[in-house]
């Protein structure tokens, strides 16, 4: 057609549709900020505390078994025992402790509260029996052990920690229900006198390290109960005064205090253990000398598989290994604080706070002593050091935390509503599959609503 544009092929040109005007999209989010938001959402899920407690405690226990095997071989051979002697005993304790953990995890809160008084009474009776000649056994100058026959011994004061947590939590919860905690007499009595009774029984045997942990648990319970600052400061002043007297009147404790920051063993090798702990950490470097390659455990470092196992870990696994252990304890502590902060049950709040204070304070005191920042208190690293008497009540306490974490707002719904991963047929179709999909979406909405309503 004349006047119409033609293409080279003689055909009319194709009319292109006029596109819509492009609107600028949203600006790209900063990748770092996007990663932060994703981690925050993942961290705030209902099951975060549950997984942190389960995973953190399991990793600490397994790594502890590995390090006990590595650190105790030389000691066992020096005592004419098989190289795996201490490892086998610790593995047996871990197996029994796993049963206690599962039992505590499955128990209802009412049963936890019912066990408080029997555990307290049993711990008191056992700590009295420690001082009976022929029953109690002295280890490293401390009369805090009971011989069970053969090579097995028990330290009842370790069960006293669990007793004061359960009994104190039940006592404070009952008083809170009756609106009695506003009166300082009800807040202190009978909690503080009972704690001082346990402390007296422990100090008769000379174990000041365990007494410090028990005192930390007491202060944690009072803090959670909302003790006034003046009352809290008064009890703390009494505890500090008693501690000063006990340290000043004991040459052994004064020698340990004088070893803070020591860089050489000193006269009479009084700081031998503290200094060789620093040597072990310093020789580990960034990634350590390798499992089993520690030099200090060859008789240079006393208590290499118990109180100073963290030093051997630093020598064999280096800074990376020690930071990993610290991160696991930090995660465990955060999870315990989260459980205590989100629950509406007073007993759960006090018990979770008491267990978290117990494990965190003991880890800080042990690691601080190895690093030379605190006096050597003779307390094991929870779940990590050799010692069945310390491992059993600690694993039961971890079971309590897991049970409480499962009852966190939204966690129970999320656990109950998870789809099984195994046993489903792939590519399922039909009304049943659609019904399951709708049910799953409904359950997810309910879990999200439960989590939002339970957050503080």
């Amino acid at each position: 057609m004349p006047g119409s544009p033609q293409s080279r092929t003689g055909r009319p040109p194709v009319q292109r549709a006029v596109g819509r005007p492009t609107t600028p999209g949203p600006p790209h989010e900063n990748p770092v900020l996007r990663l932060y938001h994703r981690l925050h959402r993942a961290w705030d899920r209902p099951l975060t505390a549950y997984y942190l407690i389960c995973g953190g405690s399991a990793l600490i226990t397994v790594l502890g078994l590995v390090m006990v095997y590595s650190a105790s071989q030389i000691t066992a051979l020096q005592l004419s025992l098989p190289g795996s002697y201490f490892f086998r005993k610790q593995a047996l304790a871990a197996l029994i402790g796993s049963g206690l953990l599962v039992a505590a995890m499955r128990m209802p809160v009412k049963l936890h509260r019912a066990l408080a008084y029997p555990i307290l009474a049993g711990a008191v009776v056992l700590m009295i029996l420690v001082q009976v000649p022929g029953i109690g056994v002295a280890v490293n100058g401390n009369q805090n052990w009971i011989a069970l026959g053969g090579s097995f011994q028990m330290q009842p004061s370790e069960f006293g920690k669990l007793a004061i947590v359960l009994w104190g939590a039940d006592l404070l919860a009952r008083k809170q229900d009756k609106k009695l905690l506003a009166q300082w007499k009800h807040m202190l009595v009978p909690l503080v006198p009972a704690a001082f009774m346990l402390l007296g029984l422990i100090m008769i045997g000379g174990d000041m390290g365990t007494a410090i942990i028990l005192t930390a648990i007491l202060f944690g319970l009072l803090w959670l109960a909302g003790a006034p600052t003046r009352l809290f400061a008064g009890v703390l002043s009494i505890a500090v005064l008693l501690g000063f007297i006990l340290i000043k009147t004991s040459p052994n404790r004064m020698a340990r205090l004088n070893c803070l920051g020591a860089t050489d063993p000193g006269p009479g090798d009084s700081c031998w253990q503290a200094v060789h702990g620093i040597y072990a950490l310093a020789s580990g470097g960034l990634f350590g000398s390798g499992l089993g390659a520690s030099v200090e455990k060859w008789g240079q470092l006393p208590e290499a598989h118990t109180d100073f196992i963290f030093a051997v870990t630093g020598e064999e696994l280096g800074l990376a290994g020690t930071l990993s252990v610290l991160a696991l304890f930090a995660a465990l502590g955060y999870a315990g604080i989260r459980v205590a902060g989100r629950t509406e049950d007073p007993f759960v709040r006090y018990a979770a706070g008491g267990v978290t204070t117990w494990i965190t304070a003991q880890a800080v005191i042990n690691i601080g002593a190895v690093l030379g920042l605190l006096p050597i208190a003779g307390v094991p690293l929870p779940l990590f050091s050799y010692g069945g008497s310390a491992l059993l009540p600690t694993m039961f306490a971890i079971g309590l935390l897991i049970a409480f974490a499962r009852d966190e707002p939204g966690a129970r719904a999320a656990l109950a509503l998870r789809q099984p991963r195994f046993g489903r047929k792939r590519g399922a179709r039909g009304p049943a599959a659609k019904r399951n999909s709708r049910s799953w979406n409904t359950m997810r909405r309910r879990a999200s609503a439960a989590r939002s309503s339970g957050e503080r």
Side-chain angles (χ1 to χ4, degrees):
M1 180 181 296
S4 61
Q6 296 288 334
S7 64
R8 293 183 179 179
T9 58
R11 297 177 182 178
V14 178
Q15 298 293 328
R16 300 182 180 272
V18 179
R20 297 179 181 178
T22 58
T23 56
H28 292 288
E29 189 179 6
N30 189 340
V32 177
L33 190 61
R34 184 168 62 250
L35 178 61
Y36 167 77
H37 288 312
R38 291 181 62 183
L39 291 176
H40 180 73
R41 286 194 299 268
W43 199 254
D44 202 43
R45 290 176 181 174
L47 293 176
T48 297
Y50 174 77
Y51 288 135
L52 283 177
I53 297 171
C54 292
S57 59
L59 288 174
I60 294 173
T61 305
V62 171
L63 183 58
L65 286 173
V66 174
M67 293 312 303
V68 164
Y69 180 66
S70 175
S72 65
Q73 291 184 44
I74 305 305
T75 303
L77 294 175
Q78 288 174 344
L79 297 174
S80 301
L81 297 170
S84 60
Y85 174 78
F86 293 105
F87 168 75
R88 290 196 304 243
K89 291 185 65 176
Q90 186 74 355
L92 177 61
L95 183 62
I96 299 174
S98 299
L100 293 176
L101 185 149
V102 173
M105 183 178 66
R106 296 295 181 180
M107 288 180 187
V109 174
K110 290 183 179 180
L111 185 54
H112 292 152
R113 302 184 69 165
L115 289 175
Y117 285 86
I119 293 178
L120 178 64
V124 171
V125 171
L126 290 175
M127 282 192 280
I128 293 174
L129 291 177
V130 165
Q131 306 306 323
V132 177
I135 298 178
V137 178
V139 177
N140 294 332
N142 292 337
Q143 183 86 9
N144 284 307
W145 298 81
I146 292 179
L148 300 179
S151 60
F152 292 95
Q153 296 176 339
M154 180 178 65
Q155 189 176 6
S157 57
E158 292 290 341
F159 295 88
K161 303 172 187 176
L162 178 63
I164 196 65
V165 167
L166 288 177
W167 179 78
D170 178 68
L171 177 69
L172 293 174
R174 287 189 289 107
K175 291 196 173 189
Q176 180 173 330
D177 292 339
K178 297 178 181 179
K179 312 296 183 182
L180 296 175
L181 290 181
Q183 307 174 32
W184 69 269
K185 293 181 180 179
H186 285 284
M187 183 175 291
L188 295 181
V189 180
L191 177 61
V192 174
F196 275 42
M197 176 190 66
L198 293 176
L199 289 172
L201 292 173
I202 293 172
M203 287 307 302
I204 290 175
D207 187 2
M208 192 170 182
T210 303
I212 294 174
I213 305 301
L214 200 67
T215 305
I217 295 173
L218 173 62
F219 286 138
L221 291 174
L222 290 176
W223 182 271
L224 290 170
T229 305
R230 289 179 298 175
L231 182 63
F232 197 84
V235 178
L236 181 61
S237 301
I238 295 174
V240 171
L241 178 62
L242 291 176
F244 175 78
I245 295 173
L246 292 172
I247 293 174
K248 197 70 175 177
T249 55
S250 172
N252 183 37
R253 298 188 186 110
M254 282 299 300
R256 292 185 177 186
L257 187 63
N258 293 331
C259 290
L260 283 178
T263 56
D264 61 85
D269 293 334
S270 58
C271 299
W272 181 274
Q273 186 179 27
V275 170
H276 278 272
I278 298 297
Y279 290 169
L281 291 171
S283 59
L286 188 58
F287 297 106
S289 57
L291 278 174
S294 170
V295 175
E296 290 294 333
K297 69 182 180 183
W298 285 78
Q300 300 296 323
L301 179 63
E303 308 296 338
H305 60 298
T306 54
D307 301 346
F308 270 67
I309 194 172
F310 189 75
V312 179
T313 303
E315 185 178 5
E316 296 188 350
L317 302 182
L319 181 64
T322 55
L323 290 181
S324 299
V325 174
L326 291 175
L328 290 174
F329 276 110
L332 200 58
Y334 164 80
I337 293 173
R338 169 171 163 155
V339 171
R342 292 196 173 193
T343 183
E344 298 293 336
D345 190 332
F347 172 79
V348 173
R349 178 167 62 253
Y350 295 132
V355 171
T356 305
T357 304
W358 164 12
I359 295 176
T360 305
Q362 188 164 326
V364 168
I365 291 173
N366 177 276
I367 296 174
V370 174
L371 295 176
L373 303 176
L374 296 174
I376 298 174
V379 296
L381 190 58
L383 301 173
F384 202 85
S385 295
Y386 170 78
S389 294
L391 185 62
L392 295 182
T394 306
M395 294 192 75
F396 186 89
I398 293 295
L400 292 178
L401 283 182
I402 294 175
F404 300 155
R406 293 176 62 177
D407 288 333
E408 187 179 331
R412 179 174 291 276
L415 284 172
L417 304 178
R418 287 187 307 179
Q419 284 185 322
R421 294 183 177 275
F422 302 99
R424 296 198 308 258
K425 294 182 178 180
R426 295 184 178 180
R429 296 291 185 269
K434 294 180 180 179
R435 186 166 55 252
N436 290 337
S437 177
R438 289 195 299 268
S439 176
W440 174 243
N441 292 331
T442 303
M443 290 187 291
R444 288 182 60 186
R445 289 194 297 269
R446 289 178 181 174
S448 177
R451 179 185 65 182
S452 301
S453 61
E455 290 179 351
R456 293 186 173 185

